[in-house]
Amino acid sequence: MNYRHAFHAGNHADVLKHFVLSRVLMLLGRKETPYAYLDTHSGIGLYDLLGDQASRTGEWQGGIGRLWEAKDLPDPLVAYKEAVAALNSDGALRFYPGSPEIARRFSRPQDRLHLNELHPEDALLLKENMGQERRIAVHHRDGWLLPKALLPVQEKRAVLLIDPPFEKVDEFERCSMALKESIARMRQIVTAIWYPIKDQRQLKRFYQDLQKSNAPKLLRAELWVHPTDNPVGLNGSGMVISNPPWGLEDELRSVLPWLAKQLGQSQPGWKLDWLIEEKST
């Protein structure tokens, strides 16, 4: 509960996570049917990149800072960058949206948002930053309990973002368990899990656990800015998405090479494959 995302806001991992989230929501928005969005570890929703915490690390300069200056963005990245630009009307990059703000901007009036944050101060800031929209509910509880508490939702469609701080040794295992529970409660749900790329042995066990889940299909997208076997620091990050909307795989395949080149720091790279392929009928 001591984790504060403001120190890392806007870094290369945030770029991957929020770009993928924006595309998932936009692709789901092609159908009029409403959906519910659930966010297990929401943070405060909006970050000041020139504030005390973000400016101490300056991680955003190697993430959204590089995209802010880029002129050749692939088409799928444009809407994400425009969402960031909408928070910086004077043209200078200062404010950055967390996943709650991304979800608020890319969802529609008929969609409901359930945002959860355990840290007491951050939960208050999250509620303040989200305003008074009736379709947005802010919860203050253990994020791991969210699938059990809220699923299945009344809507026929749902998106669940699982984005823990990964400060505890069991959080990879808890991600796998949360995926299994969400699918068991609502099989058609789109569950997206963000994870850091650090310890390859730990990741191998994580992949194996995910492959044993009951997900109908599971897409893996990874982006790294340093060699994946680098023993120190955050080398990159990944997202696994169950039931990804049609078109997401092609968009990621077109964007990930560009992101690796744009955000790379030493030996960048990317991966896109299926941990669980859809069974033929």
Side-chain angles (χ1 to χ4, degrees):
M1 202 167 83
N2 294 320
Y3 177 83
R4 309 300 290 274
H5 187 69
F7 290 101
H8 314 289
N11 67 3
H12 58 84
D14 261 6
V15 169
L16 175 67
K17 174 173 54 184
H18 296 143
F19 159 62
V20 172
L21 178 60
S22 71
R23 295 313 304 166
V24 166
L25 298 181
M26 286 196 75
L27 291 170
L28 286 179
R30 294 177 301 185
K31 294 182 179 179
E32 287 297 319
T33 311
Y35 60 79
Y37 170 80
L38 289 69
D39 195 328
T40 61
H41 300 76
S42 294
I44 65 175
L46 184 64
Y47 299 93
D48 183 354
L49 300 179
L50 302 185
D52 178 61
Q53 293 172 326
S55 60
R56 280 194 222 176
T57 63
E59 290 184 19
W60 63 271
Q61 296 177 24
I64 189 59
R66 295 192 183 184
L67 260 70
W68 190 256
E69 302 296 334
K71 306 298 183 184
D72 60 338
L73 265 70
D75 288 343
L77 271 169
V78 172
Y80 161 66
K81 184 180 177 181
E82 288 177 346
V84 180
L87 298 170
N88 298 277
S89 57
D90 63 354
L93 178 58
R94 176 171 181 174
F95 298 106
Y96 183 78
S99 53
E101 181 66 16
I102 290 288
R104 188 177 74 84
R105 288 181 174 272
F106 283 92
S107 58
R108 305 156 304 170
Q110 66 265 42
D111 304 319
R112 285 192 306 150
L113 277 58
H114 292 277
L115 311 175
N116 182 78
E117 175 54 45
L118 180 60
H119 194 289
E121 293 178 22
D122 286 359
L124 289 174
L125 287 171
L126 175 63
K127 184 170 289 189
E128 180 180 323
N129 286 333
M130 289 296 101
Q132 302 297 319
E133 287 191 57
R134 294 182 62 183
R135 69 189 187 94
I136 301 178
V138 176
H139 306 270
H140 174 42
R141 64 172 78 187
D142 183 346
W144 297 113
L145 302 178
L146 209 65
K148 185 176 182 180
L150 298 181
L151 293 176
V153 293
Q154 66 184 39
E155 292 85 356
K156 294 181 179 180
R157 303 191 297 164
V159 179
L160 171 65
L161 176 65
I162 302 172
D163 174 28
F166 288 97
E167 289 187 319
K168 298 180 180 179
V169 294
D170 67 341
E171 287 186 302
F172 279 100
E173 182 180 354
R174 298 192 79 171
C175 283
S176 300
M177 293 172 58
L179 171 64
K180 294 174 185 177
E181 183 168 31
S182 66
I183 295 292
R185 289 177 172 272
M186 195 172 180
R187 188 158 179 78
Q188 71 273 28
I189 191 172
V190 179
T191 301
I193 303 173
W194 177 91
Y195 58 92
I197 294 177
K198 292 182 178 180
D199 185 332
Q200 286 297 311
R201 288 178 299 178
Q202 191 176 45
L203 281 176
K204 184 177 180 179
R205 291 193 297 270
F206 180 51
Y207 301 148
Q208 291 172 343
D209 285 344
L210 292 172
Q211 288 173 318
K212 295 175 184 176
S213 73
N214 54 350
K217 50 185 175 179
L218 194 62
L219 182 66
R220 171 174 57 181
E222 293 186 346
L223 175 71
W224 55 88
V225 299
H226 295 296
T228 57
D229 58 355
N230 184 12
V232 180
L234 180 66
N235 300 321
S237 65
M239 293 195 77
V240 287
I241 308 104
S242 71
N243 296 315
W246 186 86
L248 182 64
E249 180 186 10
D250 289 342
E251 290 188 349
L252 290 176
R253 198 170 300 281
S254 71
V255 170
L256 285 172
W258 187 93
L259 281 176
K261 182 179 179 180
Q262 190 72 21
L263 303 183
Q265 298 178 23
S266 57
Q267 296 180 38
W270 62 280
K271 176 185 289 184
L272 183 67
D273 61 1
W274 293 91
L275 285 176
I276 301 177
E277 294 191 54
E278 186 174 20
K279 295 179 181 178
S280 57
T281 57

